[in-house]
Amino acid sequence: MKKVSTSTLLKMKAESEKIVAITAYDASFAKLFDEQGVDVILIGDSLGMVLKGDDDTTTVTVDEIAYHTRSVSKGASRCMIIADMPFMSYASPLQTYENAAQLMAAGATMVKMEGGKWLLDTIQGLVERGVPVCGHLGLTPQSVHVFGGFKVQGRSEEQATRLLNDAKALEQAGIQLLVLECVPVEIAETISQSLTIPVIGIGAGAGTDGQILVMHDMLGISANYMPKFSKNYLEQTGDIRKAVSLYIDEVQSGLFPSEAHSFK
Ligand code: KIV
């Protein structure tokens, strides 16, 4: 089967075919997700919370992401593999290039970074050096202490306008994919329609070009907490392969996320 590339994702957007993404951190789950037909696997810094048991993602290191990226890349053969650049690993250009190189060497085909306009030069520098970049806007969890908690972003007109402008500027700087997290449905749809590149949502409604969930949420195994925007597919199916298959079906058919999993 042909490996998912940035061209595949662009074509999917052009043909209104929804992109299905999920996080994974090891070879076994990566293989299972790959075999079931997931398009994109993210080695997210969510691993700080779901694997290490921390309260947020700011404790995660580049070495940890690289370790899990190596495992995932051995399990997945078709999926695109995106590795998260963790907190403070892209604070300066040289540091960014070295850390991105480590994640690409570990098996990533794209790196993801959280932030808006302040990242433009960094993104351009990475792309010029051959590293594809995924942006991440909205509720960017590495800034949880600035936000004062995990809060929906983009509800005021000013915030919504900033989000749209940031998204356009990131695309201009060279990102090839954008994750939008916890933003109202309407602004997520506007941003998705305003960009040529695909937009993948999490808590951003059904109007984006694809969806991503943290695997522990999707399988209902996160320690005593289920975000409003997530859905426990294992509870419904009782089998991990069936759960993943149902998640894929519901994203592709537009059934997930429903209004109950979205924000106004
Ligand atoms: O770290 C992560 O898993 C993420 C997703 C929630 C998009 O960034």
Side-chain angles (χ1 to χ4, degrees):
M1 226 185 272
K2 220 175 146 201
K3 213 169 164 58
V4 176
S5 66
T6 49
S7 317
T8 318
L9 299 182
L10 259 184
K11 186 164 175 274
M12 287 174 80
K13 173 162 181 146
E15 293 175 358
S16 302
E17 201 183 316
K18 297 279 187 188
I19 297 162
V20 184
I22 193 163
T23 67
Y25 317 95
D26 67 47
S28 303
F29 272 110
K31 185 166 188 289
L32 189 152
F33 296 152
D34 196 270
E35 285 169 356
Q36 293 305 117
V38 165
D39 303 303
V40 173
I41 291 180
L42 169 71
I43 300 90
D45 60 2
S46 50
L47 71 84
M49 298 170 82
V50 297
L51 299 192
K52 294 167 66 180
D54 291 334
D55 290 338
D56 58 58
T57 60
T58 59
T59 59
V60 177
T61 65
V62 176
D63 285 346
E64 287 169 341
I65 298 279
Y67 172 91
H68 291 280
T69 301
R70 268 191 294 279
S71 305
V72 166
S73 70
K74 285 180 200 157
S77 47
R78 176 186 167 269
C79 289
M80 171 179 276
I81 296 175
I82 306 178
D84 243 342
M85 297 280 288
F87 183 62
M88 281 295 166
S89 67
Y90 44 105
S92 70
L94 183 60
Q95 180 200 29
T96 308
Y97 302 153
E98 286 173 356
N99 289 331
Q102 186 181 342
L103 298 182
M104 297 293 280
T109 39
M110 184 179 273
V111 297
K112 177 167 82 58
M113 291 188 294
E114 300 181 5
K117 283 195 177 137
W118 67 273
L119 271 178
L120 299 183
D121 287 345
T122 309
I123 290 165
Q124 204 175 332
L126 279 176
V127 175
E128 281 166 353
R129 285 159 181 79
V131 179
V133 180
C134 174
H136 186 158
L137 291 172
L139 169 52
T140 45
Q142 289 169 18
S143 300
V144 62
H145 300 301
V146 175
F147 294 145
F150 293 98
K151 296 185 172 139
V152 177
Q153 301 295 308
R155 276 194 162 135
S156 72
E157 211 173 307
E158 189 196 334
Q159 277 185 354
T161 306
R162 192 175 335 125
L163 272 179
L164 179 59
N165 290 339
D166 277 351
K168 286 180 178 170
L170 291 180
E171 179 175 51
Q172 192 75 28
I175 62 164
Q176 288 174 289
L177 193 63
L178 175 67
V179 168
L180 267 187
E181 179 163 355
C182 289
V183 299
V185 180
E186 210 176 300
I187 176 70
E189 195 166 343
T190 304
I191 292 173
S192 306
Q193 287 170 2
S194 306
L195 302 189
T196 307
I197 57 159
V199 176
I200 297 190
I202 173 163
T208 56
D209 306 304
Q211 300 294 327
I212 182 162
L213 285 179
V214 171
M215 58 161 282
H216 290 64
D217 296 339
M218 195 275 279
L219 297 173
I221 48 177
S222 297
N224 60 39
Y225 175 67
M226 174 63 80
K228 168 186 159 82
F229 55 77
S230 199
K231 183 168 172 181
N232 181 348
Y233 282 95
L234 185 59
E235 191 174 39
Q236 260 178 281
T237 53
D239 175 273
I240 292 179
R241 280 188 174 74
K242 284 186 189 150
V244 177
S245 178
L246 185 59
Y247 167 56
I248 294 172
D249 284 351
E250 288 202 355
V251 171
Q252 287 177 343
S253 63
L255 275 175
F256 179 82
S258 69
E259 259 182 52
H261 303 107
S262 309
F263 300 102
K264 286 198 175 119

